[in-house]
């Protein structure tokens, strides 16, 4: 069997969006197209997906579904497509960001009425910094929303990326009539009845031939403008994430999805190489199996300590039972229990190829960022750290349990569940996170796995900035509004009260060079 052929068939992406933009609906429709599910509603039901944060543990236990819906594979047009879920809502955590490290492209779903929203922006920035190609799906055209030009303008100015509309909408809301497909220059009518007003073989050059209403006229004029004045198509720019192909549609009505998929499989990259610590690259077609762990899902049931580690296959082929080495420790083990994820099921995986994601059952051997390989040694570069936004002081309720307390923190920090900081002189532990959920998971796991009750005291939302020239810091710079703390590597970090405090600081101390992580 031809390894290269298998790998070229693979497309691995994540959907980035703000809650409610339509990520779940789009995922479902993509799976329907691929024949992976038979009916909508199989992917995490919206209603069951909405829950209060405090219910999280219970829900997590009940819905094994959060594991199954983390990665889904389906076939389309000869391709094997892997969709990775980027948890949002109350589930938002560093895992959400790290998922983006395991994909080769991203699909950005935007609600046409809302435009760019905060969570989309955050995830987009990570894609941009990693040079991940981005495809944009503007959703909910069946409702009234912003004008298409306004949306493109918003994407271009807010996200600093060029846009290339692949489809163009004809009207919206009640008078949404369809989309113009730029690639093959056809019109796809929204309703069956609209077909009657259209000539199926309609060519743009023959626009006198059509008796269209106002919506068609406007759309065609706009479309011409896009053709004349819009950004030029540039495959190279797409692959670097400098230009995003844009699609309009309605996920709910399964409209515009096929146009999207057709183009997506054409332009989305096949599995890309990954950098190693030795500053070399491992190509996906390298015969030797290798991969890295980007997410560890702890089992919330205290009777079952096993965890599921998600591994992105970087090169070669995985086969069940194969012997691999964990680069960090040099330890060898056989991978007998690996799963792959289908829409409504997990199944034992017998083989997987570069680009695929497999789940490995783990009893505590793996950490986030770990490399597994077969054959000659490789170790992938460290996964980037993300700038936390929320902080919490933490201490052990029972002072006699300090040892357990620090052991628990150390392991959870290593695992990537939470970030560790401490106050400058008193060494009081402070936890950092990108989402509230991380604190709750921390508290729960400290109690269940390390038998330690903790006291958590919110420090609140802060802007964290690292310092290029630490030697220039003086005691006078440390204040309540610009609080100096240490990270787990003993680097100094300022926690600013807000944007204003940060600007004020930078003006007062221009010699201090601040930076943030991804
Ligand atoms: P998410 O995963 O990004 O959070 O979004 P999800 O797909 O769950 O969609 C959010 C809501 O938007 C859902 O409504 C869904 O039916 C609706 N929606 C998704 N795509 C479209 C579309 O193309 N057109 C229209 N009109 N609606 C769309 P819901 O389940 O009824 O919840 P809600 O409306 O009560 O929030």
């Amino acid at each position: 069997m031809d390894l290269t052929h298998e790998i070229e068939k693979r497309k691995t992406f994540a959907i980035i969006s703000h809650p409610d933009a339509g990520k779940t609906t789009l995922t479902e429709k993509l799976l329907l197209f691929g024949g992976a599910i038979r009916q909508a509603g199989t992917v995490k039901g919206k209603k069951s997906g909405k829950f209060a944060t405090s219910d999280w543990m219970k829900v997590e236990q009940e819905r094994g579904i959060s594991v199954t819906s983390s990665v889904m594979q389906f076939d389309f047009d000869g391709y094997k497509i892997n969709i990775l879920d980027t948890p949002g809502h109350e589930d938002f955590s560093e895992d959400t960001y790290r998922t983006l490290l395991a994909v080769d492209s991203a699909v950005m779903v935007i609600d046409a009425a809302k435009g760019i929203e905060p969570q989309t922006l955050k995830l987009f920035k990570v894609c941009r910094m990693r040079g991940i190609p981005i495809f944009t799906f503007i959703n909910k055209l069946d409702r009234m929303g912003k004008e298409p030009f306004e949306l493109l303008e918003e994407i271009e100015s807010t996200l600093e990326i060029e846009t290339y509309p692949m489809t163009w909408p004809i009207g919206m809301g009640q008078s949404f009539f369809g989309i113009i497909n730029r690639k093959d220059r056809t019109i796809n009518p929204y309703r069956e009845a609209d077909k009657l007003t259209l000539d199926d073989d309609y060519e743009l050059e023959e626009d006198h031939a059509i008796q269209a209403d106002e919506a068609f006229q406007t759309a065609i004029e706009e479309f011409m403008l896009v053709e004349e004045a819009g950004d030029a198509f540039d495959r190279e720019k797409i692959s670097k994430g400098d230009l995003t192909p844009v699609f309009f549609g309605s996920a709910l009505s399964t409209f515009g999805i096929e146009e999207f998929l057709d183009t997506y499989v054409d332009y989305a990259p096949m599995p890309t190489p990954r950098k190693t610590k030795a500053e070399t690259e491992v190509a996906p077609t390298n015969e030797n199996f290798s991969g890295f762990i980007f997410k560890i899902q702890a089992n919330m049931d205290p009777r079952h300590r096993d965890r599921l580690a998600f591994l992105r296959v970087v090169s070669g082929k995985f086969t069940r039972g194969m012997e691999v080495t964990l680069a960090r420790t040099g330890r060898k083990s056989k991978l007998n229990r690996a799963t792959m994820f289908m829409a409504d099921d997990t199944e034992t995986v017998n083989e997987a190829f570069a680009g695929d994601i497999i789940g490995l059952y783990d009893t505590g051997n793996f950490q986030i960022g770990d490399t597994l390989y077969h054959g000659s040694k490789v170790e992938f570069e460290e996964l980037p750290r993300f700038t936390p936004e929320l902080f919490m002081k933490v201490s052990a309720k029972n002072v006699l349990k300090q040892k357990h307390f620090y052991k628990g923190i150390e392991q959870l920090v290593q695992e990537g569940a939470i970030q560790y900081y401490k106050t400058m002189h008193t060494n009081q532990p402070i936890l950092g996170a990108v989402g509230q959920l991380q604190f709750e998971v921390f508290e729960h796991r400290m109690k269940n796995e390390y038998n330690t009750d903790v006291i958590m005291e919110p420090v609140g939302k802060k802007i964290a900035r690292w310092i290029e020239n630490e030697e220039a810091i003086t005691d006078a710079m440390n204040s309540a509004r610009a609080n100096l703390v240490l990270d787990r590597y003993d680097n100094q970090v300022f926690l600013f009260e807000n944007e204003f405090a940060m600007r004020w600081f930078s003006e007062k101390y221009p010699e201090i060079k601040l930076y943030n992580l991804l």
Side-chain angles (χ1 to χ4, degrees):
M1 196 235 9
D2 186 358
L3 183 69
T4 308
H5 177 67
E6 277 298 329
I7 293 169
E8 280 172 348
K9 286 201 307 201
R10 274 150 171 91
K11 307 273 177 183
T12 302
F13 74 92
I15 300 186
I16 59 175
S17 66
H18 194 81
D20 269 353
K23 183 181 68 169
T24 312
T25 313
L26 180 67
T27 305
E28 218 159 59
K29 296 304 164 80
L30 292 172
L31 294 172
L32 276 171
F33 254 94
I37 54 172
R38 276 181 296 280
Q39 59 180 39
T42 316
V43 181
K44 179 180 79 177
K46 182 68 189 202
K47 297 292 176 274
S48 66
K50 276 188 181 163
F51 46 82
T53 348
S54 56
D55 283 347
W56 183 77
M57 306 305 165
K58 214 169 70 218
V59 175
E60 186 71 4
Q61 279 173 25
E62 285 165 4
R63 50 160 204 186
I65 190 116
S66 69
V67 177
T68 57
S69 62
S70 292
V71 187
M72 284 159 282
Q73 188 178 73
F74 69 96
D75 295 297
F76 178 78
D77 204 16
Y79 290 96
K80 286 233 175 284
I81 302 179
N82 296 304
I83 308 184
L84 276 64
D85 189 26
T86 50
H89 303 248
E90 295 88 351
D91 284 351
F92 194 82
S93 71
E94 278 171 82
D95 277 347
T96 310
Y97 287 132
R98 279 193 290 252
T99 296
L100 298 175
L101 309 175
V103 300
D104 303 302
S105 55
V107 174
M108 174 166 74
V109 180
I110 294 173
D111 181 332
K114 303 217 173 111
I116 307 288
E117 298 177 84
Q119 191 168 306
T120 321
L121 182 60
K122 281 188 196 173
L123 295 169
F124 176 88
K125 280 187 176 159
V126 175
C127 293
R128 202 78 169 97
M129 284 165 107
R130 308 281 301 176
I132 298 171
I134 296 154
F135 295 74
T136 303
F137 188 86
I138 298 184
N139 192 27
K140 306 198 186 182
L141 265 287
D142 57 310
R143 287 199 190 156
M144 287 308 284
K146 299 185 185 187
E147 290 297 328
F149 275 124
E150 192 185 338
L151 287 161
L152 293 184
E153 163 63 25
E154 192 176 328
I155 295 170
E156 299 211 343
S157 60
T158 318
L159 307 180
E160 291 172 16
I161 187 169
E162 291 175 26
T163 57
Y164 188 91
M166 300 295 309
T167 59
W168 194 260
I170 305 167
M172 66 172 95
Q174 292 287 341
S175 44
F176 181 46
F177 291 104
I179 46 179
I180 303 172
N181 187 340
R182 195 168 179 185
K183 199 167 154 197
D184 53 17
R185 310 185 87 75
T186 52
I187 286 178
N188 182 4
Y190 181 55
R191 297 176 198 84
E192 278 297 304
D194 294 336
K195 275 193 182 144
L196 302 175
T197 59
L198 289 170
D199 175 358
D200 269 347
D201 297 317
Y202 169 77
E203 294 276 338
L204 287 169
E205 287 72 30
E206 294 171 22
D207 73 352
H208 61 275
I210 226 170
Q211 299 294 315
D213 67 5
E214 214 176 296
F216 287 97
Q217 284 301 339
T218 312
I220 285 162
E221 278 162 26
E222 287 172 343
F223 182 71
M224 296 297 187
L225 198 62
V226 168
E227 291 259 279
E228 274 166 37
D231 293 316
F233 185 79
D234 187 331
R235 214 179 164 129
E236 178 77 15
K237 280 190 183 167
I238 296 177
S239 69
K240 288 192 181 135
D242 291 333
L243 182 146
T244 177
V246 179
F247 302 82
F248 292 85
S250 163
L252 192 61
S253 344
T254 324
F255 190 78
I257 313 270
E258 198 169 2
E259 285 83 352
F260 165 75
L261 259 180
D262 271 344
T263 312
Y264 173 77
V265 292
D266 268 0
Y267 298 129
M270 61 174 268
T272 41
R274 291 290 195 275
K275 289 201 182 81
T276 68
K277 277 193 175 149
E279 294 187 7
T280 55
E281 276 192 346
V282 176
T285 49
N286 186 320
E287 294 271 316
N288 286 326
F289 163 82
S290 69
F292 66 90
I293 288 164
F294 63 94
K295 171 173 164 162
I296 291 175
Q297 179 123 5
N299 196 329
M300 284 297 146
D301 183 344
R303 286 164 304 172
H304 300 282
R305 285 285 172 81
D306 59 343
R307 312 178 301 171
L308 196 62
F310 289 77
L311 176 128
R312 150 92 193 206
V313 183
V314 173
S315 68
K317 177 182 173 184
F318 162 85
T319 42
R320 187 174 168 192
M322 87 189 298
E323 189 182 72
V324 298
T325 308
L326 174 60
R328 179 170 44 83
T329 59
R331 245 179 74 182
K332 287 187 167 43
S333 61
K334 278 208 163 89
L335 296 181
N336 289 317
R337 289 185 71 202
T339 53
M340 218 140 127
F341 311 92
M342 299 301 148
D344 38 13
D345 207 1
T346 59
E347 56 180 51
T348 303
V349 57
N350 291 319
E351 53 182 37
F353 296 87
D356 288 339
I357 311 296
I358 54 177
L360 305 172
Y361 288 95
D362 172 40
T363 48
N365 297 321
F366 299 140
Q367 291 177 11
I368 282 173
D370 271 348
T371 301
L372 296 180
Y373 65 88
H374 179 84
S376 51
K377 181 174 177 175
V378 288
E379 190 160 18
F380 293 105
E381 65 176 5
E382 265 179 43
L383 298 185
R385 291 185 297 149
F386 300 95
T387 304
E389 293 176 14
L390 301 169
F391 294 86
M392 191 79 92
K393 278 193 179 145
V394 61
S395 52
K397 208 175 233 168
N398 180 348
V399 284
L400 300 174
K401 290 235 164 152
Q402 294 295 337
K403 232 175 103 186
H404 279 88
F405 174 74
Y406 279 102
K407 181 162 175 257
I409 291 193
E410 190 188 327
Q411 294 201 355
L412 294 175
V413 166
Q414 269 178 5
E415 198 186 280
I418 200 98
Q419 293 188 24
Y420 178 75
Y421 299 83
K422 60 190 179 202
T423 52
M424 277 297 269
H425 302 295
T426 44
N427 287 344
Q428 150 102 60
I430 300 173
L431 304 175
V434 304
Q436 180 66 25
L437 176 77
Q438 290 180 256
F439 295 130
E440 288 172 39
V441 171
F442 172 82
E443 194 174 353
H444 182 90
R445 293 186 63 187
M446 285 297 279
K447 189 176 171 65
N448 283 277
E449 292 169 38
Y450 301 96
N451 208 6
T452 310
D453 283 311
V454 294
I455 301 170
M456 311 268 276
E457 184 197 333
V459 178
K461 219 174 147 127
K462 301 281 175 221
I463 302 174
R465 288 292 178 269
W466 277 252
I467 302 131
E468 263 175 41
N469 48 343
E470 285 195 3
E471 65 289 351
I473 301 285
T474 63
D475 277 348
M477 295 175 189
N478 189 359
S479 70
R481 312 190 63 217
N483 192 213
L484 207 49
V485 299
L486 297 172
D487 72 7
R488 68 188 271 218
Y489 305 105
D490 279 343
N491 296 316
Q492 298 183 49
V493 185
F494 273 114
L495 302 185
F496 292 106
E497 192 68 31
N498 48 34
E499 285 281 343
F500 179 79
M502 185 164 73
R503 261 201 313 271
W504 182 88
F505 181 93
S506 293
E507 276 163 29
K508 183 148 188 218
Y509 305 110
E511 70 277 19
I512 303 297
K513 296 194 178 61
L514 302 170
Y515 70 93
N516 57 347
L517 307 178
L518 258 191

